[in-house]
């Protein structure tokens, strides 16, 4: 494999407008309170490269947020299935797409090229800055959705939407400094398995450059000295706080046994259940309800409830980059699930076929290469005749 002698040249630019200048000043001040970086581990997503167009840069098409490579492969399979299912898709396009979908149902494919587009499962390392007060919280200049007074913002949208992976993009001084600092990131702690550490050291040679992805936010908890992750990644502190409000008012009381897991009563939360609870349980529910109300009203990034500190953390992700582009999964990366069929079978005409309509599952189901799934997540519950649903 071709290797580089080291990271490529970084072009540094000045901030382009007053808003970016303030963000840059905030970023330059932030490291003064940083003692170290806390490395969580790998995340996975999908990137695509157009081979026939004018712009051959890699772009993120499925957010780098999945906990194992197979989840990213499933996202790629779903993406290809939906493309084949579109009414605008031609029979020729489906003939190109369907064999890859069938292979992804059986194999751990990390790269494929179809219809002029190269798709790759991409690996990122997640990390966070840690100071005397723990994991970094959102900065004043971090992006927030524009909301008019008394109005709800639009939906959260897709993480990493429209993100282009371009190692040659000019960077501001703080961006360049972070990129240079993280180029040598390698997991050497004894808590990581031997093969994981060996792969991390090898990646510095095979993929010597790094790209820093847009900042994200997630919930963390601390009881005593240990931090624990909670929830998923969000693109703005607003959505992480919204998730924290839900966690405090709905999820945490159920997880702690204060409210029964009765999904017929999804509207019940900490405050609505206080009246019918015992005094001890009611006191705990009131603590959770008050904390949720404070987070929402005061836009708090942390709150302590019953001895546990809940915090909105500022999370960072980096992608290692080599001569052939972004790094894919490493041999030591763990898959927590096997490849499987997640959509019903589709034919070249865009017609859906369900397993129960194919008799005992032999015949054209096996010939299509999609056999082996125990159920169809996307199946039509109505048991309709084969056709578009």
């Amino acid at each position: 494999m071709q290797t580089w002698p080291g990271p490529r040249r970084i072009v540094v630019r000045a901030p382009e407008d007053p808003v970016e200048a303030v963000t840059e000043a905030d970023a330059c001040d932030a490291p003064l309170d940083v003692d170290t970086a806390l490395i969580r581990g790998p995340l996975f997503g999908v990137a695509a490269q157009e081979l026939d167009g004018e712009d051959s840069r890699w772009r993120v098409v499925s957010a780098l947020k999945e906990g194992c490579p197979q989840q990213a492969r499933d996202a790629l399979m779903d993406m290809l299935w939906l493309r084949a299912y579109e009414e605008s898709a031609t029979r020729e396009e489906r003939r190109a797409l369907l064999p890859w979908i069938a292979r992804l149902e059986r194999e751990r494919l990390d790269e494929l090229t179809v219809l002029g587009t190269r798709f790759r499962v991409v690996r990122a390392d997640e990390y966070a800055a840690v100071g005397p007060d723990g994991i970094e919280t959102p900065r004043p200049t971090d992006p927030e959705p524009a909301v008019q007074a008394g109005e709800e913002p639009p939906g959260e949208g897709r993480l990493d939407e429209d993100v282009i992976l371009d190692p040659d993009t000019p960077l501001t001084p703080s961006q360049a400094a972070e990129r240079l600092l993280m180029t040598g990131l390698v997991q050497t702690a004894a808590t990581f398995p031997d093969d994981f550490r060996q792969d991390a050291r090898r990646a510095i040679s095979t993929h010597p450059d790094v790209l820093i992805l847009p900042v994200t936010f997630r919930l963390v908890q601390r009881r005593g000295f240990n931090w624990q992750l909670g929830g998923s990644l969000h693109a703005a502190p607003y959505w992480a706080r919204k998730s924290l409000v839900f966690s405090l008012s709905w999820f945490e009381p159920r997880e702690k046994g204060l409210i029964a897991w009765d999904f017929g009563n999804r509207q019940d939360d900490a405050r609505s259940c206080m009246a019918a609870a015992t005094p001890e349980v009611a006191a705990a529910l009131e603590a959770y309800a008050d904390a949720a109300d404070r987070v929402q009203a005061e836009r708090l990034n942390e709150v302590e409830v019953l001895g546990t500190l809940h915090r909105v953390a500022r999370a960072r992700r980096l992608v290692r980059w080599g001569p052939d582009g972004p790094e894919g999964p490493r041999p030591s990366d763990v898959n927590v699930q096997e490849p499987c069929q997640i959509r019903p079978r589709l034919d070249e005409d865009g017609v859906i076929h369900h397993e129960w309509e194919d008799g005992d599952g032999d015949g054209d189901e096996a010939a299509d290469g999609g056999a082996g799934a125990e159920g169809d997540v996307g199946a039509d519950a109505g048991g309709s005749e084969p056709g578009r649903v």
Side-chain angles (χ1 to χ4, degrees):
M1 176 182 291
Q2 179 186 359
T3 59
W4 296 344
R8 67 174 67 201
R9 180 173 62 96
I10 297 176
V11 178
V12 181
R13 62 172 177 81
E16 296 178 345
D17 54 53
V19 173
E20 190 176 51
V22 174
T23 302
E24 180 69 8
D26 196 19
C28 290
D29 289 340
L32 299 176
D33 297 323
V34 173
D35 294 332
T36 186
L38 181 64
I39 304 172
R40 173 190 177 269
L43 295 171
F44 302 90
V46 181
Q49 181 187 40
E50 300 298 331
L51 302 179
D52 301 331
E54 296 181 1
D55 189 351
S56 61
R57 294 178 299 175
W58 290 88
R59 71 185 191 282
V60 177
V61 293
S62 181
L64 278 80
K65 63 182 180 66
E66 307 296 350
C68 86
Q70 187 55 46
Q71 291 172 313
R73 296 183 197 110
D74 289 345
L76 173 57
M77 174 168 50
D78 196 53
M79 188 186 317
L80 298 181
W81 191 95
L82 290 172
R83 182 173 174 182
Y85 184 58
E86 291 177 355
E87 292 189 12
S88 59
T90 65
R91 176 176 286 194
E92 289 71 24
E93 289 173 334
R94 293 192 186 97
R95 283 177 177 170
L97 292 166
L98 292 176
W100 287 112
I101 295 169
R103 286 191 61 185
L104 284 165
E105 292 174 345
R106 304 186 307 266
E107 304 175 37
R108 289 176 174 167
L109 297 180
D110 292 325
E111 183 165 327
L112 60 90
T113 299
V114 59
L115 298 175
T117 302
R118 184 184 186 188
F119 296 94
R120 177 179 295 175
V121 174
V122 175
R123 182 188 198 277
D125 279 302
E126 183 183 1
Y127 62 96
V130 180
D133 191 39
I135 299 177
E136 183 182 17
T137 56
R139 299 172 185 172
T141 53
D142 282 329
E144 295 277 16
V147 184
Q148 298 293 332
E151 294 183 359
E152 279 289 318
E156 183 170 2
R158 183 172 64 84
L159 191 69
D160 293 336
E161 191 167 8
D162 300 324
V163 169
I164 300 294
L165 302 177
D166 185 358
D168 297 317
T169 298
L171 306 174
T172 65
S174 70
Q175 293 169 342
E178 182 175 10
R179 180 163 155 183
L180 285 172
L181 181 65
M182 301 309 296
T183 296
L185 175 70
V186 58
Q187 294 91 336
T188 58
T191 52
F192 293 105
D194 289 342
D195 57 344
F196 189 93
R197 287 181 286 163
Q198 291 171 3
D199 283 349
R201 287 191 290 266
R202 187 181 303 111
I204 292 182
S205 298
T206 59
H207 296 78
D209 203 6
V210 300
L211 273 73
I212 309 296
L213 295 177
V215 64
T216 55
F217 306 87
R218 67 155 71 241
L219 303 185
V220 295
Q221 299 177 1
R222 186 181 69 187
R223 179 181 287 273
F225 298 100
N226 297 322
W227 289 98
Q228 292 184 332
L229 295 178
S232 57
L233 294 175
H234 300 275
Y238 174 89
W239 299 109
R241 287 192 294 269
K242 197 174 181 69
S243 177
L244 178 55
V245 169
F246 172 79
S247 179
L248 293 171
S249 62
W250 196 95
F251 181 78
E252 283 279 327
R254 284 169 169 79
E255 186 181 48
K256 302 297 183 184
L258 304 172
I259 300 177
W261 288 97
D262 180 3
F263 288 101
N265 261 328
R266 291 178 178 268
Q267 301 304 315
D268 283 346
D269 61 13
R271 192 164 296 285
S272 67
C273 290
M274 279 192 288
T278 64
E280 183 180 359
V281 171
L285 290 174
E286 185 176 15
Y288 278 112
D290 289 347
D293 291 344
R294 287 181 58 209
V295 170
Q296 184 163 345
E298 303 173 35
R299 299 178 63 184
L300 299 180
N301 289 320
E302 71 174 27
V303 66
E304 187 170 352
V305 186
L306 303 179
T308 298
L309 179 67
H310 300 261
R311 174 176 291 185
V312 174
R314 193 176 197 271
R316 307 293 280 135
R317 297 165 298 159
L318 66 83
V319 173
R320 299 209 71 91
W321 197 273
D324 193 38
E327 182 185 20
R330 299 172 185 171
S332 58
D333 289 328
V334 177
N335 289 281
V336 299
Q337 60 195 57
E338 296 295 323
C340 67
Q341 181 181 348
I342 61 175
R343 290 280 188 174
R345 186 167 60 85
L346 193 67
D347 68 19
E348 294 177 357
D349 295 314
V351 177
I352 287 178
H353 298 269
H354 301 297
E355 281 189 353
W356 63 78
E357 293 163 342
D358 291 331
D360 59 6
D362 295 328
D364 61 0
E365 177 76 19
D368 180 73
E374 305 243 35
D376 296 323
V377 174
D380 177 17
S384 60
E385 293 296 319
R388 302 188 67 85
V389 295

